[in-house]
Amino acid sequence: MAFTFPVRKWLSRLDNPDAPLRKRIGELYGDDPAIRSERLALWKRALEAFGEAYGDKEVALVRSPARINLMGVHIEHRGGWVNYMTLAREIVAAVASRKDDLIVLHNADPRYPPRSFRISEELPPHKRGRWTEFIEEVRPPRGDWANYVKGAVLMLQDFLGDRPLRGMEMAVAGDIPEGSGMSSSSALVVASLEAALWANGLSIPPEEKVRIGGEGEWLSLIHISEPTRLGMSSYAVFC
């Protein structure tokens, strides 16, 4: 379930949530007032970044938490068993759908500049259905944060084949420490995938989400200096 409101209404409701929103916040974060306050501050950062970039549009919020692996290894992408837990660090994205296939990205962290790409240009119809060949020949800018979003969105388009995806406008805020083993990159991939599904009114089985997210991250792995892998317990939920 996703709540959708204009940005200003979201911000107002977060200051004084009604019963359905309070229930959802409780389902996500429990009853600890300190945790709730900390997490909702991140929601507000994402919403404020969206409002500044795109205006007071109707948006949904999607979140994907950090994870820790008590075994200390990344082996799930080879079929190994892991013991993941999520924790109260996450990626939060405010998302609005577009009628064309343009993806427009903003980040609340000024270190990451705005980005945009068009799905049909990045992955035209004649290249769909052969993802491995595509990622071997494509050369997105090395180390760019938008590669994680591209990987998720383009792999979803590859999965859908001839059904064209609509684009979206997205603003991202996060507090997962980078390079900490908490899979900040995977969280961004998962949040982007869920955002694209919501923007297109699509629903797919959880097993396909895991596969699409994992294979989509290959696009980023080729072009970043410190690869990470998407785990089964990286997941996104709507706020």
Side-chain angles (χ1 to χ4, degrees):
M1 177 186 67
F3 292 100
T4 58
F5 307 116
V7 170
R8 290 181 183 176
K9 191 171 183 178
W10 260 116
L11 292 170
S12 175
R13 286 189 173 225
L14 290 180
D15 287 333
N16 186 24
D18 57 15
L21 187 54
R22 281 199 308 273
K23 179 182 178 183
R24 186 59 175 147
I25 293 169
E27 291 170 348
L28 294 174
Y29 300 123
D31 299 325
D32 189 317
I35 292 178
R36 287 190 179 203
S37 177
E38 179 186 70
R39 295 299 91 208
L40 294 187
L42 192 64
W43 291 26
K44 291 179 180 179
R45 280 181 58 201
L47 288 162
E48 289 165 355
F50 188 100
E52 183 177 340
Y54 310 111
D56 189 30
K57 296 184 179 181
E58 187 99 356
V59 299
L61 288 177
V62 61
R63 58 178 287 272
S64 182
R67 63 179 188 178
I68 54 174
N69 180 10
L70 297 184
M71 293 177 62
V73 292
H74 288 277
I75 59 174
E76 74 282 2
H77 61 289
R78 297 297 182 188
W81 293 95
V82 291
N83 188 18
Y84 283 132
M85 295 190 301
T86 59
L87 69 162
R89 296 292 183 95
E90 60 195 338
I91 295 287
V92 177
V95 189
S97 181
R98 292 179 61 93
K99 294 183 179 179
D100 57 16
D101 71 340
L102 185 66
I103 305 290
V104 189
L105 306 172
H106 278 75
N107 199 308
D109 189 331
R111 293 179 299 166
Y112 302 106
R115 291 287 185 256
S116 65
F117 63 93
R118 196 170 292 278
I119 298 170
S120 59
E121 293 178 357
E122 295 284 339
L123 185 65
H126 70 276
K127 292 187 177 182
R128 296 170 192 170
R130 47 188 187 91
W131 183 251
T132 302
E133 294 178 30
F134 169 71
I135 62 173
E136 288 177 351
E137 66 184 36
V138 70
R139 288 293 180 268
R142 185 179 177 86
D144 196 308
W145 73 281
N147 290 348
Y148 295 104
V149 185
K150 281 185 179 182
V153 173
L154 297 182
M155 181 57 203
L156 178 59
Q157 179 62 84
D158 190 79
F159 170 75
L160 294 172
D162 293 334
R163 175 173 179 170
L165 280 175
R166 292 194 305 271
M168 60 184 177
E169 294 165 342
M170 186 165 77
V172 175
D175 62 355
I176 305 174
E178 297 174 14
S180 63
M182 295 184 187
S183 299
S184 58
S185 56
S186 292
L188 179 55
V189 172
V190 174
S192 301
L193 174 58
E194 289 286 0
L197 288 168
W198 174 83
N200 285 271
L202 297 174
S203 177
I204 59 176
E207 310 82 53
E208 288 297 342
K209 290 182 183 180
V210 171
R211 185 184 69 81
I212 289 170
E215 294 184 15
E217 197 166 358
W218 290 357
L219 181 67
S220 303
L221 298 179
I222 294 174
H223 303 286
I224 60 176
S225 57
E226 297 182 358
T228 58
R229 292 292 194 271
L230 179 69
M232 292 288 288
S233 66
S234 286
Y235 65 97
V237 295
F238 287 106
C239 306

